[in-house]
């Protein structure tokens, strides 16, 4: 018996506020297959899907899913199935799931699949339970089959970050592309894994040693300068009266 998704209350975020702004450069472009796109438009749609799921930091040729791209071009799968294939790919799992805990992975998937940040810790805990009980495939299926995803993107539209700009605000929300893919818990594990050559104590010891050497070097430089000035008669020699 599977555990049902816990209830959580949606908070008021940008994508839930009625929009009155004039469309501009910051308004997200919608990529869809509803109107039978040309080959060039299909290339742009696939690129937009990679940018949304992998983000620009992870858009490498080694992460391309050639078979999924071919199936999408020939109409064998929908955009929603293509998104599912990208999220469940080995590359996405290695770059995002293996380096994070369940809570951070849930945040990443909600941002990239549903196009918004999480509402609260309760929503994060609710989806984390789904991830722990149903695995990655079950968790992604729940997201893609959710009413929110179907209402906003359906089967033929690439997900996008919804409504970054809120009227009467000088700055919008931070783009998800600029957010780190791993949380602080993974960063704290780096010294134990040997990725950081020195810990804080070693750094402080080396810093203190450098300060001592710098002080000694500065003192020797001052003495040498005074000796030269005295030798050339530019500095009076200090002696008894």
């Amino acid at each position: 018996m599977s555990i049902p998704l816990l209830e959580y209350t949606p908070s008021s975020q940008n994508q839930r506020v009625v929009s009155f702004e004039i469309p501009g450069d910051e308004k997200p472009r919608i990529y869809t297959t509803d109107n039978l796109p040309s080959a060039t438009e299909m290339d742009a749609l696939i690129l937009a899907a990679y940018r949304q799921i992998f983000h620009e930091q992870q858009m490498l040729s080694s992460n391309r899913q050639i078979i999924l791209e071919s199936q999408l071009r020939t109409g064998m799968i929908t955009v929603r199935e293509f998104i599912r294939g990208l999220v469940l790919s080995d590359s996405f799992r290695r770059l995002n799931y293996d380096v994070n805990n369940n809570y951070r992975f849930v945040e990443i998937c909600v941002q990239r699949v549903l196009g918004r940040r999480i509402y609260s810790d309760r929503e994060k805990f609710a989806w984390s339970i789904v991830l722990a009980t149903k695995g990655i495939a079950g968790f992604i299926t729940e997201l893609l089959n959710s009413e929110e995803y179907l209402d906003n993107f359906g089967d033929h539209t690439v997900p996008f970050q919804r409504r970054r700009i809120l009227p009467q605000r000088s700055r919008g929300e931070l783009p998800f592309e600029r957010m780190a893919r791993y949380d602080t818990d993974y960063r704290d594990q780096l010294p134990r894994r040997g990725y950081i050559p020195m810990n804080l104590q070693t750094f402080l010891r080396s810093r203190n040693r450098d300060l001592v050497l710098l002080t000694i070097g500065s003192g020797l430089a001052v003495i040498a300068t005074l000796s030269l000035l005295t030798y050339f008669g530019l500095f009076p020699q200090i002696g008894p009266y």
Side-chain angles (χ1 to χ4, degrees):
M1 179 179 178
S2 60
I3 301 177
L5 182 65
L6 298 180
E7 295 183 358
Y8 54 86
T9 303
S11 60
S12 180
Q13 296 180 354
N14 285 9
Q15 77 277 354
R16 303 189 70 242
V17 179
V18 179
S19 174
F20 296 101
E21 72 264 18
I22 300 175
D25 294 337
E26 295 184 348
K27 185 176 180 62
R29 179 180 175 182
I30 298 177
Y31 295 89
T32 179
T33 57
D34 285 335
N35 299 322
L36 295 177
S38 62
T40 304
E41 293 173 338
M42 182 61 74
D43 292 338
L45 184 146
I46 292 175
L47 184 63
Y50 278 110
R51 184 182 299 109
Q52 175 67 21
I53 300 303
F54 282 96
H55 287 182
E56 296 181 355
Q57 298 90 340
Q58 304 172 7
M59 290 179 60
L60 305 175
S61 58
S62 58
N63 294 335
R64 288 187 60 187
Q65 307 298 315
I66 305 299
I67 297 178
L68 290 176
E69 292 182 22
S70 177
Q71 292 175 342
L72 179 63
R73 294 179 187 276
T74 57
M76 297 178 60
I77 60 175
T78 62
V79 173
R80 183 159 66 110
E81 293 170 333
F82 181 67
I83 296 296
R84 173 186 170 85
L86 294 182
V87 180
L88 295 181
S89 63
D90 294 336
S91 299
F92 186 85
R93 179 189 181 107
R94 173 175 48 83
L95 293 172
N96 300 281
Y97 178 77
D98 292 346
V99 299
N100 287 301
N101 55 31
N102 285 359
Y103 300 137
R104 179 55 182 161
F105 185 72
V106 164
E107 290 185 64
I108 291 176
C109 291
V110 169
Q111 291 176 353
R112 303 187 185 187
V113 176
L114 296 183
R116 62 167 176 83
R117 55 186 173 90
I118 60 171
Y119 290 128
S120 60
D121 287 340
R122 184 171 179 84
E123 182 188 16
K124 180 169 60 178
F125 297 151
W127 286 115
S128 298
I129 294 175
V130 176
L131 176 61
T133 55
K134 297 185 178 181
I136 299 180
F139 166 59
I140 298 304
T141 299
E142 292 287 338
L143 284 181
L144 294 175
N145 291 341
S146 64
E147 182 179 355
E148 180 180 3
Y149 183 91
L150 295 176
D151 289 343
N152 289 279
F153 309 117
D155 286 328
H156 308 291
T157 302
V158 176
F160 53 87
Q161 184 173 352
R162 292 178 279 154
R163 302 260 358 271
R164 277 190 52 224
I165 305 301
L166 187 65
Q168 299 180 354
R169 279 182 52 177
S170 59
R171 301 181 63 181
E173 291 182 340
L174 184 69
F176 297 148
E177 294 87 350
R178 301 181 185 177
M179 296 183 180
R181 63 183 173 94
Y182 50 79
D183 208 353
T184 56
D185 60 339
Y186 179 76
R187 183 190 61 193
D188 296 338
Q189 297 175 11
L190 293 179
R192 295 194 298 269
R193 298 188 178 189
Y195 292 106
I196 296 181
M198 61 176 65
N199 55 24
L200 181 59
Q201 185 177 1
T202 306
F203 172 76
L204 292 177
R205 285 201 302 265
S206 63
R207 183 181 180 184
N208 292 335
R209 183 178 64 251
D210 294 340
L211 290 176
V212 172
L213 294 177
L214 180 61
T215 303
I216 295 175
S218 300
L220 293 176
V222 171
I223 295 174
T225 302
L226 292 178
S227 299
L228 289 175
L229 292 176
T230 303
Y231 177 78
F232 289 105
L234 300 177
F235 189 81
Q237 186 174 4
I238 301 177
Y241 291 102

